[in-house]
Amino acid sequence: MKRLSGKFFVTAFRKAAERLLVNKDVINVLNVFPVPDGDTGSNMSAAMMEACEYLDKLNNEDLPSVLEAVKNGMLMGARGNSGVILSQIFRGFAEGVNGKKVIGTKAFSEALVRAKDVAYKSVMKPVEGTMLTVIRVLAEKSNEELGDTEEFADYFRRLTQIAFDVVEKTPSMLPRLREAGVVDAGGKGLAYIIEGFKMAIEGDTDSGLLTEERAITAGSSAERIVEIVREELRFTYCTELVMKLNNGVEESSATKQLKSFLQEMGDSIVVVNQDDLIKIHVHTDHPGDVIEKFISHGSLQKVKIDNMKLQHEHIVDIQQEREAGLPGSGKKHGIVSVSPGEGLSEIMRSLGADYLVKGGQTMNPSLKDLIEAIHKVRSENVIVLTNNPNILLTAREAANSFMDQFPHKEVTILPTKNIQEGIAALTAYNDVLESDELIAEMEEAIENLISISVTHVIRDSKIKGVKVRKGDYVALDRRDHVLASGRRLEKTVLEAIKRGLNDQEDKEVATIFYGQEVKEEHAVKLLESLSEEFEELEFEMHYGGQPYYYYLISIE
């Protein structure tokens, strides 16, 4: 095959998605930190699967339409940093193809260069030894070494080899990978995608597992509801006219004059010419002036004028009845928060969170999930608590995308690194404050917090220079530095709190959220031990229900 069409790209893309899905758990295990919360494979798979959903809806499988669907689907399905960066790689590739109906290997290589450029620009501080390095080397070597390779089978065999070779070298580029004894997860995921294209080119186009996985996950997105968006109407009257031009009036000249006039009179302007008729639509405060202007050019055939403010007020009155109890109703600032456990969700609601998005490690919410959550909160200002650094990039994309569509609504992303910081921010919530004052109060509460997260180690490794053993319990601070580790959970927690306090005498309250793997009686026993050991602290214990982490601890 020397030419790649849109129809075959669909087949190859589905095979690539399946290849990634088959290896999702392998990629998830390649977490820099040797704790059971890797999610890169899941995040990249979510983006690929959403793109496949978009491909299913295509009526036209020419290459530009296919790439547009892939580009849009991947962005909407992107979860976490890895998903967002992957979506930008395919966005750049689509831009590089630049509307071609079919492409050869040379054009494919040129599109990879654009994919690389867009991906690097999407990250504020690009880091080598990651997925970015893989796409960069693919772009460079495909143009340098494969210029004479015309057959796509040979081309993709070499691309696959290049991709996996680069992945194996990532530990030498990034100290934290070398320290953890793993290769880059995102880079390996991209290599599997390239391998999927190779397999399709070679004739293996079966993607049955992909179909099964999509059937399992169908309906898992956030509930969709139709809502009326509030807005301040700039103009009162919706004015529609149909006019027949007078004899001798030159159509293009008249249309140009009338368009210019309407732009001064209002907005939502539509002007349609057909034979000697001109139909217009405009929102204006002076429909009479519009009519006067038009009858100077011809005779009116139809006039329709509606008072939009009266209509809008009526609709809003109906909507207000429906909105009773909707998230953020009657509040100046609404809160969207990401939560990995039902107990944590209840606590956040009690502190003022209006809408909870299920997510966290291994289950980062998608761009679509976050946009829907922001949309459902009725207040004019929405604050999003990410509660995980891997959600931050997606959340910022969601906020920008939403505000582009609804500029009357202000969305602020508060980059909380963990659940403890999110809850600390909520304790400072005061809807009476102005937005900048409220954000400052929340940030101060986060800054004054000591947070500790307790999980277990899944392989012998190092975490930021500290050796840890497989099977050990490990307690991490907000920057993922090891506070304590060992074979006994209670002792690990006790040592972590001592190190976390570091002789700080201004702390008064320690709140512990126990996870879904901890029995209540064990949590109560730990609470008693800690209360005896740290008499200066007042301890509280709550069920959080979070996976992977036995205890999440906040000290204030």
Side-chain angles (χ1 to χ4, degrees):
M1 181 187 294
K2 295 183 179 181
R3 293 290 180 269
L4 197 152
S5 66
K7 186 172 183 179
F8 189 81
F9 193 94
V10 171
T11 301
F13 186 87
R14 287 195 174 113
K15 185 62 184 179
E18 187 203 43
R19 190 64 186 148
L20 182 65
L21 199 61
V22 166
N23 293 282
K24 177 179 69 175
D25 292 335
V26 173
I27 299 167
N28 283 340
V29 170
L30 296 175
N31 193 16
V32 171
F33 297 106
V35 295
D37 62 2
D39 52 12
T40 300
S42 300
N43 292 341
M44 295 177 74
S45 296
M48 295 288 284
M49 288 173 68
E50 186 72 19
C52 288
E53 295 282 351
Y54 274 59
L55 289 174
D56 288 345
K57 299 172 186 175
L58 277 181
N59 296 319
N60 182 359
E61 288 191 342
D62 64 47
L63 190 56
S65 300
V66 167
L67 292 176
E68 185 71 13
V70 167
K71 178 181 74 172
N72 294 333
M74 291 200 73
L75 182 61
M76 293 308 293
R79 301 170 187 262
N81 292 349
S82 55
V84 173
I85 294 170
L86 183 63
S87 75
Q88 295 307 290
I89 287 173
F90 276 92
R91 173 192 160 194
F93 183 84
E95 292 176 1
V97 170
N98 196 27
K100 296 182 181 73
K101 299 288 186 181
V102 294
I103 56 173
T105 57
K106 188 174 186 295
F108 199 101
S109 296
E110 291 170 352
L112 286 177
V113 174
R114 181 60 184 159
K116 177 261 298 182
D117 291 342
V118 172
Y120 269 80
K121 287 178 183 176
S122 71
V123 181
M124 289 183 66
K125 294 181 179 178
V127 176
E128 296 301 333
T130 65
M131 190 192 321
L132 293 173
T133 304
V134 178
I135 187 60
R136 176 178 61 77
V137 175
L138 283 172
E140 291 171 355
K141 287 189 176 291
S142 64
N143 282 278
E144 293 170 2
E145 301 177 7
L146 300 177
D148 297 329
T149 303
E150 295 184 356
E151 287 289 343
F152 266 110
D154 297 332
Y155 181 82
F156 272 105
R157 275 193 286 271
R158 180 62 182 131
L159 276 192
T160 302
Q161 182 184 6
I162 292 168
F164 281 106
D165 285 348
V166 177
V167 170
E168 290 304 313
K169 294 174 183 175
T170 53
S172 66
M173 305 176 201
L174 198 56
R176 67 171 183 255
L177 293 175
R178 183 168 61 252
E179 203 172 73
V182 296
V183 298
D184 181 66
K188 191 153 192 175
L190 183 56
Y192 281 126
I193 290 170
I194 297 296
E195 186 178 47
F197 272 82
K198 176 186 79 77
M199 293 169 71
I201 293 287
E202 292 175 339
D204 181 359
T205 58
D206 177 62
S207 55
L209 179 64
L210 178 64
T211 305
E212 292 174 19
E213 180 74 11
R214 287 161 66 191
I216 292 169
T217 57
S220 62
S221 295
E223 176 191 0
R224 292 174 174 82
I225 59 173
V226 177
E227 299 173 356
I228 297 167
V229 179
R230 296 179 180 277
E231 59 177 329
E232 287 296 322
L233 296 175
R234 292 181 58 202
F235 300 99
T236 303
Y237 300 101
C238 175
T239 305
E240 296 181 38
L241 307 177
V242 178
M243 178 190 70
K244 185 174 182 178
L245 288 170
N246 291 332
N247 290 333
V249 175
E250 205 275 313
E251 182 181 324
S252 61
S253 175
T255 302
K256 186 176 180 180
Q257 288 181 40
L258 293 172
K259 280 183 178 178
S260 177
F261 170 74
L262 291 175
Q263 287 170 352
E264 297 175 1
M265 296 299 296
D267 61 12
S268 297
I269 299 163
V270 178
V271 180
V272 178
N273 294 44
Q274 184 171 318
D275 299 327
D276 59 349
L277 295 178
I278 295 179
K279 179 176 180 177
I280 69 101
H281 170 282
V282 63
H283 293 171
T284 181
D285 285 333
H286 304 285
D289 292 348
V290 174
I291 291 172
E292 286 293 328
K293 181 69 173 180
F294 270 69
I295 60 176
S296 67
H297 289 77
S299 57
L300 296 177
Q301 307 295 300
K302 184 179 178 181
V303 177
K304 182 173 178 287
I305 301 172
D306 294 314
N307 187 315
M308 295 186 297
K309 286 190 176 177
L310 288 178
Q311 291 177 333
H312 187 69
E313 287 167 6
H314 175 65
I315 292 171
V316 168
D317 286 343
I318 295 172
Q319 183 71 2
Q320 283 176 334
E321 295 176 7
R322 296 176 181 171
E323 283 181 353
L326 285 181
S329 295
K331 295 174 67 175
K332 187 162 61 174
H333 302 91
I335 305 289
V336 171
S337 186
V338 178
S339 171
E342 57 180 306
L344 294 169
S345 295
E346 288 302 316
I347 292 165
M348 290 180 188
R349 286 192 189 97
S350 71
L351 293 172
D354 298 290
Y355 194 91
L356 278 300
V357 179
K358 187 174 182 180
Q361 294 296 83
T362 77
M363 51 181 177
N364 294 164
S366 68
L367 184 75
K368 180 168 62 176
D369 295 334
L370 291 172
I371 289 175
E372 288 178 355
I374 294 166
H375 186 55
K376 288 180 181 180
V377 175
R378 309 308 301 179
S379 51
E380 292 300 300
N381 300 281
V382 178
I383 299 170
V384 180
L385 305 176
T386 56
N387 301 336
N388 187 310
N390 205 31
I391 297 172
L392 181 57
L393 189 57
T394 309
R396 285 175 174 159
E397 288 279 354
N400 292 335
S401 177
F402 185 88
M403 287 190 289
D404 285 344
Q405 189 175 2
F406 303 105
H408 66 283
K409 201 162 183 172
E410 184 67 30
V411 182
T412 302
I413 305 300
L414 197 60
T416 45
K417 297 182 182 69
N418 53 41
I419 289 296
Q420 300 94 304
E421 290 189 1
I423 290 175
L426 284 168
T427 60
Y429 175 73
N430 182 351
D431 201 35
V432 174
L433 299 175
E434 295 301 317
S435 297
D436 55 349
E437 295 174 319
L438 177 56
I439 295 298
E441 290 286 330
M442 288 179 153
E443 289 175 340
E444 184 178 354
I446 294 167
E447 186 62 32
N448 292 331
L449 175 76
I450 296 172
S451 65
I452 301 170
S453 303
V454 184
T455 183
H456 67 273
V457 181
I458 59 173
R459 64 173 180 271
D460 291 347
S461 186
K462 286 183 179 180
I463 300 178
K464 297 196 173 181
V466 178
K467 286 184 178 180
V468 289
R469 297 178 299 168
K470 181 179 179 180
D472 277 0
Y473 297 104
V474 62
L476 307 171
D477 67 10
R478 70 169 69 180
R479 295 179 178 83
D480 290 322
H481 291 107
V482 176
L483 292 172
S485 66
R487 295 295 183 184
R488 291 174 51 202
L489 180 56
E490 185 176 311
K491 183 179 179 183
T492 300
V493 173
L494 189 147
E495 290 179 1
I497 292 175
K498 282 182 178 177
R499 286 198 63 191
L501 284 170
N502 194 25
D503 297 325
Q504 295 184 51
E505 298 179 357
D506 61 334
K507 304 303 179 187
E508 299 176 350
V509 179
T511 307
I512 302 175
F513 308 96
Y514 64 94
Q516 62 185 23
E517 296 180 39
V518 178
K519 292 182 179 179
E520 184 177 3
E521 56 265 33
H522 293 162
V524 170
K525 184 180 176 183
L526 174 66
L527 180 65
E528 292 171 351
S529 297
L530 294 176
S531 297
E532 291 177 6
E533 181 68 27
F534 300 98
E535 295 180 357
E536 72 279 12
L537 290 177
E538 178 184 341
F539 282 89
E540 298 178 5
M541 181 76 76
H542 301 280
Y543 173 66
Q546 70 274 5
Y548 307 117
Y549 288 85
Y550 301 102
Y551 296 106
L552 300 175
I553 304 170
S554 300
I555 304 176
E556 302 168 90

